Amino acid sequence: MSTPRHYITTTIPYVNARPHLGFALELVQADTLARHRRHRGDHVRLLSGTDDNSLKNVLAAEAEGVDVRSLVDRNANAFAALRGPLALSLDDFIRTSSDPRHRVGVERLWRQCAAAGDLYRKEYEGLYCVGCEQFYTLDELVDGRCAEHGTEPQHVAEENWFFRLSRYADRLHELISGGSLRIEPAARRNEVLALIAGGLHDFSVSRSHSRARGWGIPVPDDPSQVVYVWWDALGNYVTSLGYGSGDVAYGEWWVAGERRIHLVGKGVVRFHAVYWPAMLLSAGLPLPTDILVHDYLTVGGRKISKSGGTTVDPVSLAAVYGTDAVRWWLLRDVPRVGDADFTTDRLTARADADFAGGLGNLVHRIVTMVHRYRSGAVPSPDAGQPAVATLVDVCQKAPGLIDAALADFDFRRAISAAWGIVEEANRCIDTARPWELARAERQGEDVATSQLDAVLATLVTACRVLADELRPFIPDAATRIAQQVTPVDGSLPTAHPLFPRLQEHTQHA
């Protein structure tokens, strides 16, 4: 039986400004899924990158008074540099303006859809939101403004290439409603099905060379036009695998891979769940298997956004509070459905409660008792003791519960399953009362020795299970926990605090 392959991707953000915490959420979610599947023995390829060929990037460069290439390179490098501060295990990172794999793949995808008869040229005028890089009809606007950005769209009239999206409405509805193309959560799937049922219209897939300021990939055989940025950007999921250049990775990960998983924000569901699958159907290519949709991070109720001026720098956060604390808040406090409002007080309160007061305190107590009662040597386990039976059961069930939660794209539920070990370990200590067992042992009660050995051994095992299961979520912290409960020359390292209290630390910084 072959090992399953999971190809996991994030969206690729515009690089009109530096990265913010909203995109860090998606990166950390994708990284956690990738680490988890690797941990379970699957082959995984994790991709991210940057969308360089956007009019937004051109306008941002003009506003700064710099050339587009300089701005794009500078900001794209900032996105690529998130690997360290967020502890990302990326296997690939693509830049649409400079990666040689990309243009040839976009051109091949265009020609495949043209050969299917799905591209045609016509004059068009409409209302265009530069922020979304999308045309809108009047009934899609709110008080004449883009609902996503709150700006009035521009009136644009020009001749463009169009894609026959309408041809694929029935097939898309069938694939999504039947589960072949899985969209989670269900509310987002229903939203997409309603959009399709309301009627799909052909959409423009090119821009005039002049309006694009000459930035982007020229339309094959029509240099007067530039490929529409969303057509260009969506192609990265296959161009990064060498589609267009004959790389074997395309066959291994896209054609033969068991899961092709896109993580996306709710604002771009239409592009990933309607436009992109239709393009693939036209070109005769396999579709993604899963589209996992997250909601937004907000600050003071306003969406975190580069163009909106509401930003939180994830690099600065990690520098001040630590990578573990940033990842933990994003995974522990952001709900599966609904926006989450960010403050540094919420981040530090969560880290102090769960790390210093929860995980750190538990591991410190257990290692201290092993040193106090067994000179640092972990006893042989005896899971048959009644005092530890429930904790053993919780540890055994946790991996399956975590698997099920992450299969449902529910990070909070997955962490709750792991946290059940922390809660039960504390109950075990309070119920078994090792200090009383140690006193009885000193008084010559033989049964107390076996009971104390069982309690200490099971508590150490619980910490090891915790470290193992938390590794995809907080890899650095999990490593420190594992080191604390792994014997060196037959003895556990001396107990020491694993997590500082952030509120105290930052107050004195």
Side-chain angles (χ1 to χ4, degrees), residues 333-369:
D333 277 19
V334 175
R336 182 171 182 257
V337 177
D339 297 343
D341 205 61
F342 172 80
T343 68
T344 54
D345 285 345
R346 288 174 179 151
L347 183 148
T348 56
R350 172 57 74 187
D352 285 349
D354 286 359
F355 287 171
L359 274 170
N361 182 58
L362 175 67
V363 174
H364 194 274
R365 289 177 76 188
I366 291 169
V367 173
T368 297
M369 287 190 291

Side-chain angles (χ1 to χ4, degrees), residues 460-484:
V460 171
T461 298
C463 290
R464 291 172 181 165
V465 173
L466 266 173
D468 199 47
E469 293 302 321
L470 289 175
R471 199 174 297 278
F473 303 91
I474 42 173
D476 295 342
T479 297
R480 294 199 300 276
I481 295 169
Q483 290 170 343
Q484 184 71 91

Side-chain angles (χ1 to χ4, degrees), residues 107-302:
E107 291 173 341
R108 181 182 178 189
L109 184 63
W110 183 280
R111 294 186 192 280
Q112 291 286 100
C113 293
D118 287 330
L119 297 178
Y120 63 95
R121 187 165 176 161
K122 76 167 186 176
E123 293 183 353
Y124 181 79
E125 63 179 294
L127 300 171
Y128 191 75
C129 173
V130 175
C132 295
E133 293 279 13
Q134 178 182 352
F135 281 103
Y136 284 105
T137 60
L138 280 173
D139 60 356
E140 291 176 314
L141 302 176
V142 178
D143 297 326
R145 294 177 177 271
C146 166
E148 183 77 10
H149 294 92
T151 55
E152 292 184 6
Q154 302 173 356
H155 181 268
V156 173
E158 62 184 21
E159 187 175 353
N160 296 148
W161 286 91
F162 275 71
F163 174 73
R164 297 186 193 278
L165 180 65
S166 55
R167 177 179 285 182
Y168 296 96
D170 291 344
R171 183 65 177 138
L172 288 173
H173 196 282
E174 176 187 343
L175 290 165
I176 294 168
S177 60
S180 297
L181 175 51
R182 173 177 173 248
I183 302 173
E184 291 290 346
R188 298 301 170 201
R189 178 175 67 251
N190 294 337
E191 173 187 310
V192 173
L193 289 172
L195 175 66
I196 295 170
L200 296 182
H201 304 287
D202 297 352
F203 69 99
S204 171
V205 292
S206 72
R207 302 292 179 259
S208 68
H209 185 274
S210 59
R211 188 157 70 87
R213 313 292 206 276
W215 184 257
I217 297 174
V219 168
D221 307 315
D222 186 358
S224 70
Q225 297 276 304
V226 170
V227 174
Y228 173 40
V229 66
W230 270 105
W231 179 287
D232 173 336
L234 289 165
N236 93 92
Y237 302 126
V238 293
T239 65
S240 63
L241 298 172
Y243 170 80
S245 58
D247 195 315
V248 295
Y250 171 71
E252 291 176 350
W253 293 98
W254 193 261
V255 177
E258 280 73 13
R259 311 303 299 181
R260 297 174 291 277
I261 303 167
H262 296 330
L263 272 72
V264 308
K266 65 180 180 181
V268 296
V269 173
R270 174 198 304 242
F271 301 101
H272 288 82
V274 179
Y275 291 10
W276 175 230
M279 292 160 57
L280 292 169
L281 288 171
S282 173
L285 307 182
L287 271 58
T289 58
D290 305 81
I291 298 175
L292 308 179
V293 187
H294 63 82
D295 286 357
Y296 289 150
L297 294 186
T298 60
V299 172
R302 295 177 58 206

